[in-house]
Amino acid sequence: MLNNTMLAGVTLVLATLGLGQGAYALSSDNFSVQVGAESFYWREFDAGLRLLEEKGARLRVGVGLDNFQRVDSGFLYGMDGAVHLGRVDYDGQACSVVNPAQCVPYKSDTDYFGLELEGLGGFRFAQAKHGVEIFGGMGVDSWLRKIKAGDGVAGAKEEYFVLNSKFGAGFFHRLDSWSYHLQAGIKYPFYVYEYVLQDTADDLDLSPRGRASGFANFRVNLAPRARNPVSLIVYYDSYRFAESDLELQTVNGAPLVIAGNTYYARQPESRQDVFGIQLAIQFR
C-alpha cells in the first residue's frame, strides 16, 4: 500500500532537485549534493524488556537547498531530500502466528530502503561573523523494513509512513578560511502509519504513537568563499514510538482464534537512533 507513497516521495525528492537547480540560477544561496554513511540502531521493547535489536551501516545520498551560510541577520530556510538504504543485523526472536506465546531466539538480516523530505524555516540574529538562530519545520519519512526468512522462520515486511515536526536552535560562526554551524532540537512524529505484510495471516494496519526525541548536526564548511566549497557534516537523529493499539489479527478474513481466545497484534515500543557523517558539495 505504501509503494505509491514511496513513489510520491521519489517524485518529491526529484522536485527538490529541480527546485534547487532553478534557484541556483537565480540566487547566491547554496544548492548541495550530499553523500555519506550512518550507523543505524532499531530496538523494540515490551514492558521494559528488549525484544530485538537491529544495527548496522546504511548509505545516505541527498540534495539540499538553504541559506544557512548567511552572516547577517534575517530569515533562514532549508529544504532537503534524501534516500537511505542498507542491510543491518537482526538479533531478536521469532514467534509463531498459530501460538504467539511460542517464541525462539532468531538472528537474521534486515534490509532498509527509505525516503526523506524536510523543510525548515527560521530567523538568525547575527553580529559580525557569528550568530544565533531559532527554527522549526516539518518532515516526511517513508521506509521499507524487510526481515529475511531462514531455517523454517517466515520473514516479515513492514512499511512506515511518518510525518514529523522539528523545533530547535543553532549557532553559526564564520572565520577567514572556514566556518561551522551547530543545530540541535526536538523532533516529534505527530502521525505514524505502519503497514505489516504477512505470509501466514492477513496484512495489518498499525498506528504506533509518536514520542518526542532529539536531533543534532554539526557542519564544518571548508573554504566557504570557494566557488564550490566542501562541507563535513556529523549528525544524530532519532525516533521514539510508543506501542500501537491492539489490532484484530485475521486469516483469510476470519478472526484468528487460539485456544478459544481471539488474537490481537500490536507494534511494541520502538526506538531508532542514527549517527552519521557525510560530505556535501555546494554549488552557488
Side-chain angles (χ1 to χ4, degrees):
M1 292 179 63
L2 285 186
N3 289 335
N4 291 335
T5 302
M6 299 184 77
L7 180 60
V10 173
T11 303
L12 288 172
V13 171
L14 294 177
T16 302
L17 176 60
L19 178 62
Q21 291 174 330
Y24 166 62
L26 297 174
S27 74
S28 60
D29 295 347
N30 292 322
F31 171 71
S32 64
V33 176
Q34 308 147 9
V35 60
E38 55 189 28
S39 182
F40 172 82
Y41 298 86
W42 176 276
R43 294 167 293 166
E44 296 181 5
F45 297 85
D46 184 17
L49 298 178
R50 193 181 74 189
L51 301 176
L52 65 88
E53 179 181 60
E54 295 174 342
K55 59 182 179 180
R58 303 194 308 191
L59 173 69
R60 180 184 175 90
V61 179
V63 295
L65 176 67
D66 66 71
N67 68 341
F68 289 145
Q69 303 308 306
R70 70 179 302 165
V71 294
D72 58 335
S73 297
F75 288 99
L76 300 173
Y77 76 90
M79 295 182 291
D80 289 282
V83 175
H84 65 256
L85 69 160
R87 176 171 294 178
V88 301
D89 296 329
Y90 175 95
D91 185 0
Q93 55 185 328
C95 300
S96 169
V97 173
V98 177
N99 184 5
Q102 181 181 345
C103 299
V104 296
Y106 180 63
K107 292 187 177 183
S108 184
D109 297 319
T110 302
D111 291 328
Y112 275 90
F113 174 75
L115 304 169
E116 305 172 20
L117 189 68
E118 180 180 88
L120 298 176
F123 193 89
R124 175 169 291 161
F125 305 88
Q127 182 177 8
K129 296 182 178 181
H130 62 270
V132 296
E133 67 203 43
I134 55 175
F135 63 88
M138 292 180 57
V140 180
D141 282 357
S142 181
W143 69 84
L144 172 65
R145 176 189 183 212
K146 185 177 181 181
I147 304 171
K148 287 197 165 187
D151 297 331
V153 176
K157 185 184 294 185
E158 300 171 355
E159 296 176 342
Y160 278 80
F161 180 77
V162 180
L163 300 177
N164 66 76
S165 58
K166 280 186 172 182
F167 300 94
F171 177 79
F172 174 82
H173 191 191
R174 184 166 184 171
L175 305 174
D176 291 335
S177 59
W178 62 286
S179 66
Y180 62 89
H181 185 204
L182 173 66
Q183 291 182 319
I186 299 297
K187 179 179 183 180
Y188 178 71
F190 59 88
Y191 176 81
V192 185
Y193 173 72
E194 177 187 1
Y195 182 63
V196 183
L197 297 91
Q198 303 185 105
D199 295 331
T200 56
D202 296 339
D203 297 342
L204 291 169
D205 296 287
L206 302 176
S207 299
R209 295 183 293 274
R211 294 290 184 265
S213 61
F215 70 91
N217 63 78
F218 181 70
R219 181 169 187 158
V220 178
N221 300 282
L222 308 176
R225 292 184 174 83
R227 177 173 176 79
N228 299 118
V230 176
S231 298
L232 177 67
I233 305 170
V234 180
Y235 62 91
Y236 165 74
D237 203 1
S238 65
Y239 272 122
R240 296 292 184 267
F241 304 123
E243 67 178 42
S244 68
D245 293 332
L246 294 176
E247 182 73 18
L248 177 65
Q249 179 67 74
T250 61
V251 177
N252 297 324
L256 176 61
V257 179
I258 304 170
N261 297 315
T262 303
Y263 177 49
Y264 292 84
R266 64 181 174 85
Q267 172 65 26
E269 175 192 352
S270 306
R271 305 174 191 175
Q272 175 181 298
D273 295 281
V274 177
F275 303 86
I277 185 170
Q278 60 184 9
L279 289 175
I281 302 176
Q282 302 172 27
F283 302 90
R284 298 176 177 176

